[in-house]
């Protein structure tokens, strides 16, 4: 028991440091590319190729874990290499080449791929620290705390960029140095974690083609393709909201930062409530409810581009994504036995990453060729993304079934009441 408690404590500090890195990089790599004079098509590549690389890496993630007989080893190797990749990324402005955006794309592919290698093993590893009936509550609490750290880090990054707006590349250098230090600190705390004995069974081993063949009959496979399909539609437009705000609407870095952190701030306020609710009504009920909101999120951007109005839209986005993302992870925990968990997490990430890549890649092409709507090309892309999201939710979500027994039946107004007023 003491081993588990100490391990969870180390995991908490790993999460804090990892969240600092995420807050300093996740929403600032595209602005970094724009500062390096990247084109819209290059933004599409930056948002797509890293996800493709991550998907391909995870095809072998489970096999590597099983060959090493340790989720801890593969996680440590992955995190160390990801931290190391930040060094050339922060030095790009000082390279003597003209094609700096392409160099950034290549390095971000490596950065994302190294990070992705640990996703399945780490998820399987941490799941064995928490009893099944406490996971919703625990991960709701954990995500709330770590989300707060990411928000503060993102706010710090935005303030730095605003302060150095006359020499913004120096601002990016500063925040990336902090990200580098945070990721190496994350690696250190991971070394302090305890790993329960890795349970590997040849009966639990199945190939990626085997997984795809069972897509029609497997509830878990249908769930994977629903989430991946929705993320495909989301990422037709998602990478280009940054371009729309910074290039088309000419928002300052501080305005941009405030708008992007509204989503995680809303998540912080609501995620523990989503966790408690999902433990009672099931993850699928929450997923379907949140997916409907996610489908409509691009539409308000056509109505008004005032920052105050967009702040309200971002709050709605935080409301929907906080419940959706939490329940995606918890559903995988519920659906898969420990022996299969690493492989299933990896295959989920493979398919999801591939669909995200294809969405961003196609979105990058459409962003450059779409007709103008209300004076902006990107608004056509936003409305197209919303239409495809609604179609995906309507067609695929009814095919997924809850795996928990004796869940409480609740209608949509009841979900609103419990999340917002209880």
């Amino acid at each position: 028991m003491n081993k588990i408690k100490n391990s969870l404590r180390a995991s908490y500090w790993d999460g804090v440091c990892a969240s600092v890195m995420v807050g300093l990089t996740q929403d600032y790599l595209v602005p970094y590319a724009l500062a390096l004079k990247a084109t819209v098509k290059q933004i599409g590549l930056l948002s797509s190729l890293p996800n493709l690389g991550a998907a391909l890496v995870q095809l072998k993630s489970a096999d590597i874990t099983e060959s090493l007989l340790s989720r801890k080893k593969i996680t440590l190797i992955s995190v160390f290499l990801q931290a190391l990749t930040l060094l050339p990324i922060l030095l790009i402005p000082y390279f003597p080449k003209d094609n700096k955006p392409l160099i950034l794309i290549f390095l971000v592919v490596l950065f994302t791929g190294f990070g992705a290698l640990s996703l399945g093993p780490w998820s399987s590893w941490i799941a064995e620290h928490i009893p099944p009936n406490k996971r919703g509550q625990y991960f709701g609490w954990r995500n709330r705390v770590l989300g707060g750290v990411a928000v503060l880090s993102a706010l710090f990054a935005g303030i730095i960029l605003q302060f150095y707006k006359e020499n913004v590349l120096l601002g990016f250098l500063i925040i990336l140095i902090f990200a580098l230090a945070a990721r190496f600190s994350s690696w250190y705390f991971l070394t302090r974690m305890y790993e329960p004995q890795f349970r590997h069974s040849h009966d639990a081993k199945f190939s990626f083609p085997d997984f795809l063949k069972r897509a029609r009959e497997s509830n878990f496979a249908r769930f994977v393709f629903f989430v991946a399909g929705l993320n495909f539609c989301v990422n037709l437009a998602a990478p280009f909201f940054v371009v729309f705000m910074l290039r088309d609407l000419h928002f300052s870095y501080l305005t941009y930062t405030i708008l992007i952190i509204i989503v995680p701030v809303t998540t912080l306020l609501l995620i523990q409530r989503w966790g408690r609710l999902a433990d009672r009504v099931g993850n699928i009920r929450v997923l379907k409810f949140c997916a409907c909101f996610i489908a409509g999120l691009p539409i308000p951007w056509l109505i008004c581009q005032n920052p105050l109005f967009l702040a309200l839209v971002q709050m709605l986005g935080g409301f929907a994504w906080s419940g959706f993302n939490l329940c995606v992870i918890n559903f995988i925990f519920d659906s898969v036995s420990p022996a299969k968990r690493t492989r299933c997490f990896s295959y989920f990430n493979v398919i999801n990453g591939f669909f995200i890549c294809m969405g961003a890649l196609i979105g990058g092409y459409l962003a450059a060729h779409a007709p103008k709507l209300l004076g902006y090309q990107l608004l056509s892309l936003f409305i197209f993304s919303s239409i495809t999201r609604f179609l995906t939710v309507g067609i695929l979500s009814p095919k997924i079934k809850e795996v928990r027994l004796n869940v409480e039946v609740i209608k949509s107004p009841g979900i609103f009441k419990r999340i917002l007023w209880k």
Side-chain angles (χ1 to χ4, degrees):
M1 183 61 71
N2 286 334
K3 284 184 178 180
I4 295 295
K5 285 184 177 180
N6 291 334
S7 186
L8 285 173
R9 189 177 298 112
S11 174
Y12 170 81
W13 288 110
D14 152 55
V16 167
C17 296
S19 296
V20 170
M21 183 207 69
V22 169
L24 296 174
T25 58
Q26 181 172 265
D27 292 308
Y28 290 99
L29 289 174
V30 171
Y32 188 33
L34 291 173
L36 294 171
K37 311 301 182 185
T39 65
V40 171
K41 287 185 178 180
Q42 287 171 335
I43 296 299
L45 291 173
L46 178 62
S47 303
S48 59
L49 294 183
N51 286 295
L52 179 60
L56 295 175
V57 162
Q58 289 180 87
L59 274 174
K60 289 298 181 181
S61 176
D63 291 331
I64 295 171
T65 303
E66 290 169 4
S67 66
L68 293 175
L69 294 178
S70 172
R71 292 159 294 186
K72 182 174 182 177
K73 286 181 181 178
I74 189 64
T75 300
L76 289 175
I77 293 170
S78 167
V79 170
F80 185 84
L81 291 174
Q82 185 183 41
L84 206 59
T85 310
L86 281 167
L87 183 59
I89 289 176
L90 66 88
L91 293 175
I92 286 177
Y94 306 98
F95 289 2
K97 302 272 187 181
D98 291 331
N99 52 351
K100 292 175 183 177
L102 295 179
I103 296 173
L104 175 64
I105 291 168
F106 171 74
L107 290 173
V108 172
V109 168
L110 293 180
F111 173 78
T112 308
F114 287 138
L117 187 61
S118 67
L119 289 178
W122 181 87
S123 299
S124 172
W125 179 15
I126 194 66
E128 293 194 27
H129 286 62
I130 314 296
N133 63 334
K134 297 292 184 180
R135 284 179 188 145
Q137 182 177 351
Y138 174 78
F139 285 108
W141 167 80
R142 178 187 170 93
N143 292 346
R144 183 178 181 181
V145 174
L146 301 186
V149 174
V151 166
L152 292 176
S153 302
L155 183 59
F156 168 78
I159 292 171
I160 291 293
L161 293 178
Q162 187 66 28
F163 184 80
Y164 288 99
K165 62 182 178 182
E166 302 301 326
N167 187 9
V168 74
L169 290 177
L170 177 58
F172 280 111
L173 175 64
I174 292 170
I175 64 176
L176 288 170
I177 288 174
F178 276 100
L180 175 67
R183 197 50 169 158
F184 273 121
S185 299
S186 170
W187 173 85
Y188 167 76
F189 286 111
L190 283 167
T191 66
R192 313 297 295 175
M193 286 184 64
Y194 161 71
E195 181 181 20
Q197 184 177 0
F198 181 59
R199 287 169 286 180
H200 170 52
S201 169
H202 288 289
D203 294 336
K205 187 172 182 177
F206 54 96
S207 68
F208 187 63
D210 291 336
F211 177 81
L212 295 178
K213 288 176 184 177
R214 298 191 60 219
R216 289 187 178 181
E217 61 190 62
S218 167
N219 184 55
F220 178 74
R222 290 195 295 269
F223 157 80
V224 170
F225 280 100
F226 163 65
V227 174
L230 183 61
N231 277 320
F232 167 84
C233 301
V234 167
N235 280 274
L236 289 169
F240 305 101
F241 285 100
V242 180
V243 179
F244 188 59
M245 286 187 278
L246 294 178
R247 187 198 67 180
D248 295 347
L249 300 182
H250 304 291
F251 286 172
S252 69
Y253 281 110
L254 189 58
T255 301
Y256 164 75
T257 298
I258 292 171
L259 285 174
I260 63 168
I261 67 173
I262 287 174
V263 173
V265 166
T266 307
T267 298
L268 297 182
L269 297 174
L270 299 179
I271 196 163
Q272 276 192 293
R273 297 188 178 202
W274 282 122
R276 288 194 296 266
L277 180 64
D279 285 340
R280 296 183 63 179
V281 307
N283 293 300
I284 292 302
R285 182 68 187 95
V286 173
L287 278 174
K288 293 179 179 180
F289 174 82
C290 293
C292 293
F293 281 91
I294 290 169
L297 287 176
I299 296 174
W301 289 76
L302 281 72
I303 300 171
C304 179
Q305 290 89 41
N306 182 282
L308 292 177
F309 176 78
L310 294 179
L312 296 175
V313 177
Q314 292 292 84
M315 287 181 191
L316 182 60
F319 169 83
W321 280 111
S322 58
F324 186 87
N325 288 333
L326 177 67
C327 290
V328 164
I329 300 300
N330 287 345
F331 183 81
I332 299 175
F333 286 147
D334 290 346
S335 303
V336 181
S337 64
K340 296 181 179 180
R341 199 168 279 147
T342 299
R343 190 168 293 275
C344 284
F345 262 108
S346 297
Y347 290 168
F348 167 79
N349 289 322
V350 167
I351 295 171
N352 194 46
F354 177 77
F355 274 66
I356 289 173
C357 167
M358 290 298 102
L361 202 60
I362 293 171
Y365 175 82
L366 295 177
H369 297 86
K372 286 188 176 181
L373 178 62
L374 303 176
Y376 299 103
Q377 274 186 306
L378 291 179
L379 290 182
S380 296
L381 184 62
F382 295 170
I383 193 66
F384 178 70
S385 173
S386 185
I387 292 170
T388 57
R389 295 181 201 191
F390 277 115
L391 289 173
T392 300
V393 173
I395 294 171
L396 297 183
S397 68
K399 299 178 180 181
I400 311 168
K401 306 302 179 185
E402 178 59 60
V403 297
R404 291 187 179 183
L405 301 175
N406 302 319
V407 294
E408 180 182 334
V409 178
I410 187 171
K411 295 184 178 180
S412 295
I415 294 178
F416 260 122
K417 183 178 178 181
R418 293 196 185 183
I419 295 299
L420 298 181
W421 287 284
K422 281 192 178 183

